[in-house]
Every structure is written in C-alpha cells, then in structure tokens.
Amino acid sequence: MTGKDDGEDPQAWDVATRLIRGGLTRSPYGETAEALYLTQSFVYDTAEGADARFAGDEPGFVYSRYANPTVKMFEDRLALLEGAEACRATASGMAAVYMALMGLLRAGDHMIGAQAMFGSCRWILNNWAPRFGIDSTLAPGADIDAWRAAVKPNTKLLFIESPANPLVEITDIAAVCALAKEIGAKVVVDNVFATPLFQKPLELGADVVVYSATKHIDGQGRVLGGAILGSTALLDEAYRDLLRHTGPALSPFNAWVLLKGLETLDLRVGRQTETAGVLADRIAEHPKVVACRYPGRKDHPQYEIGQRQMTGAGTVIAFDLGSREAAFRFLNALQIVDISNNLGDAKSLATHPTTTTHRSMTEEQRLEIGLTPGWVRLSVGLEGVADLTRDVLRALDAA
Ligand SMILES: *Cc1c(COP(=O)(O)O)cnc(C)c1O
C-alpha cells in the first residue's frame, strides 16, 4: 500500500475533501480511483505469517466477513465524515440497526423507541426482540416527558430516529441523551433522514449512529448498505465479535459503489435540500393541501428543535391531501416524479405510506403517529427545480 504522508490532518479537512480523500489507501499500482478488492480471503507468505495474522500480532486482512480493504476505505471515509472514531459497515441499513440494538442488549433489558420509526425497526422492537426477553416501550418521539415516563429500572437503550419516517417528526436528541446519562442507558440514533452532513448525533451525546447507506450515500438507486459508528472502545466491545461471527458483512462491490456515492454526497444532498425548500413552500400554500411538514418550515411542530440540532432541513417533505383518494389522484397525475418506496435518490420519488411502507402497522398505531390515509411522502431528487415544481403543482391540482 502506498499513501501520501505529507503531514496533512484529515480530521481538519473540509467536508468536501473528507468525502473525496478520506480513507483512501492505494495499492502499489497507484490507481486513481479506489481499488475494488473483490476477494473472499487473503493469502500468507508463510505458515508463521498466517499464525501471526490470526493471533493479531501482525496487521492485515484474513477474511472478508471480518474486514476487506475496499470496505475499510468506506468505513474510514464515513467515520471521518461523521467525526466518529470507528465505523463498521453492514450489508443493509436494517442489518446496521439490528446489530446496533442486539449488540447492546441482553435478556431482561428494556428499550424505549419513538412510535414513529421505519417499519422494519418497529418490527424488531415489537415482534422479534421479545423472543429474546427484550421488552420495549414506544413513546411519542417529540414528547420528552413521555420518554421519561417510559423509563423502567431495566431500561438500557433509547432508540431515536430523527427526523422520523414518514412524517419527519423531530426528536430532541440532546434531551434524550441527557435522560440516558441519568439512567445509565445507551442511545442509538438512526440518522438516515438528516444524513451525516446535517446532524451529528455523537456531538449531541449519542453513543451509536446508524445509517442505511442505501439512501443518500448511494443516492443513485443501486446498492444496499449500512453502517454503525461510535467510539472504538464501544464498537470493539459491543459489535466486533458479533459482526465477525454472524456475518452481515457489506460486499466489497457495494462498498466501492458507496465510496463513489460519498464523493458527491454534499453536492447532491445540498442541491436536493435547496430544491426541497422551494417545493415545500409551494406545496404548503396549495389549496388542496391540508398540512405540510418540512423541517425547514416554521410551521413544522418541532421547528425550533430542528434549528438547534440540524444544519440543513433534508430532502424529504410530507403532506396531507385529506383522503386516500386525493393522495392516489396526486400520485397518478405525476409525470416526472416516480411512485416508489425509496428515498434519498437522485430521482424524485413519492410514496403513499399507509398502503406501502407503513402498511403492516394497525390503523390505531398509524393514528398514534398522525399518519392518516391522505399523507404523501415526497423524496426530492436532483431534477430541475422548475420541472419538479410544474409536475408537483399539476398533480396537486389534479388531487
Ligand atoms: C431505509 C431505512 C432503513 C433500512 O435501510 P435498508 O438499507 O433498506 O435496510 C432504516 N432506517 C431508515 C430511517 C430508513 O429510511
């Protein structure tokens, strides 16, 4: 491996430089782009060498379920962007969430999460963790008193998603982290909607940050991926062996795609956020719209908290058209924006959460988070702002 050693401190670099150069390790061939090490295992010059590497006495890779050079470049680049000591990549966002939770919990523990969260996360808390004797309570995310009221003597973990899916509800991360310190619990934050550019949960007191890299980090609709970030000590203690021996490893190919995604993350998310701000205002003032939620608008119920903890409002807008029929008329009238359940993509995507992403929730659970059948979630992409505005306004007229 060759690298430049000119005394530069990557921690001091601008975001843009971190995204292009962070974690870059070159092979002896001196390739410009990051090398794709599509290999399962590694070979050793001697039997003694294999012995030393397995013993951990000599640095180096042994097997791509444990670690891989391309995956490591992705982990190091994302850690540098996040300001985290360490990062472990996973095969998907859900693998990251599941491992992040299960690595910190054991039978008899209790965790608290917000009622509004990504559907599969909610499934883990409600349907899977109880099998292992792990209970949970779901609180209204924006109500810190409700988090406090949900605390039990065995509460060991608080799980936050902010802004949350699908109505971009904002939780006060610093307040939940302060509560966690009081009771000796850990905090895991799913930071997908804010992206590593706009929100720094570790600085707000969180222990672990998780991502679905499938969303903005790829941002071009290609591969699945995920990541867990935090201190080296915590990642080693809670996750090192768990990840090695259960195998949710990120494919080197996907890591390579995600490395190239990171290179343009700030350009894409910056532009998408600018366009989302313009669209949110046009949507909010349309007569067919009952309510519009966007973290950058003053009428967002947790606008003040968002201003405190986020440096950008993000790429997702939610709005209520009053009925499922109106929402469907809107979706069916779109000519540029696609109907899809994904988000963070270069292509603008619109979703009807009640019948797709949040279908498995009961009506009562959906009402708890204010999700009625008129709501639409719009993930704003990279198309021209005039074209998107025309498309969305025309579809709103048709609603
Ligand atoms: C998409 C998403 C996930 C799951 O990520 P996958 O890569 O699809 O497994 C988790 N949390 C949030 C907030 C998401 O948007």
Side-chain angles (χ1 to χ4, degrees), residues 25-41:
T25 320
R26 291 201 166 109
S27 83
Y29 293 115
E31 64 283 346
T32 306
E34 293 72 7
L36 169 51
Y37 293 93
L38 205 51
T39 184
Q40 297 164 341
S41 67

Side-chain angles (χ1 to χ4, degrees), residues 66 91 100 166 198 253 303 335 343 345 347 385:
Y66 290 15
F198 293 155
F253 178 78
Y303 174 75
Q335 294 180 25
L343 64 95
D345 203 89
K347 295 184 174 64
V385 64

Side-chain angles (χ1 to χ4, degrees), residues 233-265:
L234 183 62
L235 261 66
D236 279 353
E237 182 200 322
Y239 304 121
R240 183 175 172 274
D241 291 344
L242 180 66
L243 294 171
R244 282 186 166 202
H245 301 304
T246 60
L250 179 65
S251 141
F253 178 78
N254 290 4
W256 182 83
V257 173
L258 295 170
L259 272 164
K260 303 321 276 178
L262 279 175
E263 289 189 339
T264 56
L265 181 72

